[in-house]
Amino acid sequence: GWKAFVGETETEIYKTNHLLRSIVVPEGSHSISFRLAPQSYSLSLWVSGISIIIIYLVLVIAIYKEFLKRKTALLN
């Protein structure tokens, strides 16, 4: 899930030994950043968001049905 950037351009990460990783940096002054962006994290955010929306929809529908049920009981 790690991504390396030289400036704003993504670059390939190479395995240099069992512990360290490296990137190729062109000559000159650059900002280098490594960002952890695992795919499982993005997927879990989507699943959580959709689940929350579904829960709220079910809650709103249940409240609406209860409202209609009480309204018809008062009219009878």
Side-chain angles (χ1 to χ4, degrees), residues 57-75:
L57 285 175
V58 168
L59 183 63
V60 167
I61 290 169
I63 291 171
Y64 181 71
K65 283 187 174 186
E66 185 65 27
F67 174 75
L68 288 180
K69 183 177 162 185
R70 290 184 184 205
K71 185 178 175 182
T72 56
L74 288 175
L75 293 177

Side-chain angles (χ1 to χ4, degrees), residues 21-68:
R21 303 289 183 257
S22 63
I23 61 172
V24 175
V25 180
E27 197 173 312
S29 178
H30 301 282
S31 65
I32 298 169
S33 62
F34 287 87
R35 300 177 194 154
L36 180 62
Q39 200 172 25
S40 60
Y41 179 73
S42 301
L43 179 64
S44 66
L45 283 179
W46 276 98
V47 169
S48 297
I50 291 170
S51 298
I52 289 171
I53 290 170
I54 289 171
I55 289 170
Y56 279 131
L57 285 175
V58 168
L59 183 63
V60 167
I61 290 169
I63 291 171
Y64 181 71
K65 283 187 174 186
E66 185 65 27
F67 174 75
L68 288 180

